[in-house]
Amino acid sequence: MSALYIHTENVHNLTAPREVAPLIMELIAPSSILDVGCGIGTWLKAFELLGVTDYCGVDGSYVNRDLLQIPQSKFHPQDLRQEWNLNRQFDLVISLEVAEHLDEQFAGHFVNTLIKHGDVIIFSAAIPKQGGQNHVNEQWLSFWKDKFDSVGYTLYDVLRPVIWTNSKVDVWYKQNMVVFCKEGHPLNAKLKPLSSGYVDVVHPDLFSFYRYQAERAELYEQGQLGLKLAFNALVKALTKRLR
């Protein structure tokens, strides 16, 4: 990674993976999984709980091994900006909210690394203004679609429609998680009728956040933001004192 990413158990937990992993198992039924940018391994742990034992997680050497949810033997430290190859294929490759942490110059290389390891990719990456730690390459999904199109992988929007209203799934997954499948793979026939066909969309929860930020900008321009923040802080302080 271009910078240190701090994983915390309150954000990187099993809640969303437990909701989504069974859907993926039903849809794709992978026997082997590679997670590129696995963090502390929560997604792989969720698949392990569903019976998948052949898996590997790849991420930067800075990941706190004490927080790993998977055996250290299944964790492969790797600078994701560099060329690397595990010299094997997996039934499924996942890379969730990772690509935005790599400078745009590495985007094509990153996609090529994913497809070296599997014909079916579950992918999500932050859209513009989504925000987060060290996001240096937030792009619309159409940007990534073009990258995968160029190497013969088709986009299928089959997961977002199912998890869109699930309150247990983090908004960044609901917003961004899609499937890319290599042309000619048998799974294409199953995925095509399920795909929504939408590409660049914004989840209502994320839109609400955008609107909140816009309102703050408007208040700042009107010279009211400082007063409002002070008032809110006073209310919070009084409420805490009266408890």
Side-chain angles (χ1 to χ4, degrees):
M1 294 294 186
S2 57
L4 179 67
Y5 184 94
I6 301 173
H7 296 91
T8 59
E9 292 175 298
N10 62 319
V11 173
H12 304 89
N13 55 57
L14 283 169
T15 303
R18 280 182 179 273
E19 293 292 310
V20 184
L23 302 175
I24 295 171
M25 290 299 294
E26 181 178 356
L27 188 67
I28 300 172
S31 297
S32 59
I33 300 175
L34 172 66
D35 187 347
V36 180
C38 67
I40 60 175
T42 50
W43 282 88
L44 291 174
K45 181 64 176 180
F47 284 110
E48 182 186 72
L49 293 172
L50 294 173
V52 179
T53 57
D54 182 5
Y55 62 80
C56 178
V58 177
D59 211 326
S61 59
Y62 56 80
V63 170
N64 186 344
R65 311 299 173 82
D66 292 335
L67 296 179
L68 281 177
Q69 301 292 303
I70 59 175
Q72 292 201 22
S73 60
K74 292 183 177 290
F75 177 80
H76 179 76
Q78 175 65 52
D79 184 343
L80 300 183
R81 299 168 300 177
Q82 305 300 318
E83 291 188 16
W84 58 277
N85 193 339
L86 298 180
N87 297 309
R88 64 160 293 189
Q89 289 257 310
F90 294 81
D91 294 337
L92 174 65
V93 176
I94 65 176
S95 184
L96 306 176
E97 302 301 295
V98 176
E100 67 270 15
H101 298 280
L102 305 174
D103 291 324
E104 185 175 348
Q105 63 180 305
F106 301 115
H109 159 69
F110 186 66
V111 169
N112 287 332
T113 298
L114 297 180
I115 67 172
K116 282 179 185 176
H117 293 93
D119 294 342
V120 183
I121 318 289
I122 292 183
F123 181 87
S124 77
I127 63 171
K129 305 301 182 182
Q130 181 175 307
Q133 288 186 52
N134 302 315
H135 284 195
V136 297
N137 187 32
E138 294 182 336
Q139 300 281 357
W140 290 106
L141 178 56
S142 54
F143 171 89
W144 297 107
K145 179 180 181 297
D146 289 344
K147 297 291 184 187
F148 279 98
D149 281 347
S150 69
V151 291
Y153 280 64
T154 302
L155 167 67
Y156 294 104
D157 188 14
V158 295
L159 293 172
R160 292 191 298 185
V162 181
I163 63 177
W164 196 253
T165 60
N166 189 332
S167 62
K168 294 182 179 179
V169 178
D170 301 298
V171 66
W172 43 88
Y173 298 131
K174 294 189 286 189
Q175 164 67 51
N176 300 319
M177 190 181 293
V178 296
V179 179
F180 288 100
C181 188
K182 186 176 182 180
E183 294 172 4
H185 191 283
L187 192 60
N188 285 278
K190 180 179 181 180
L191 297 178
K192 187 173 182 179
L194 302 175
S195 186
S196 75
Y198 294 110
V199 181
D200 294 333
V201 298
V202 178
H203 193 278
D205 292 346
L206 197 56
F207 176 81
S208 296
F209 172 75
Y210 286 164
R211 185 57 202 154
Y212 170 72
Q213 295 293 78
E215 289 172 352
R216 286 172 61 86
E218 291 168 7
L219 288 171
Y220 178 79
E221 290 175 357
Q222 298 166 10
Q224 300 178 39
L225 182 60
L227 179 62
K228 185 171 183 180
L229 286 175
F231 177 76
N232 288 341
L234 176 62
V235 170
K236 288 181 180 179
L238 288 173
T239 302
K240 184 176 181 180
R241 185 167 185 175
L242 292 172
R243 282 180 180 172

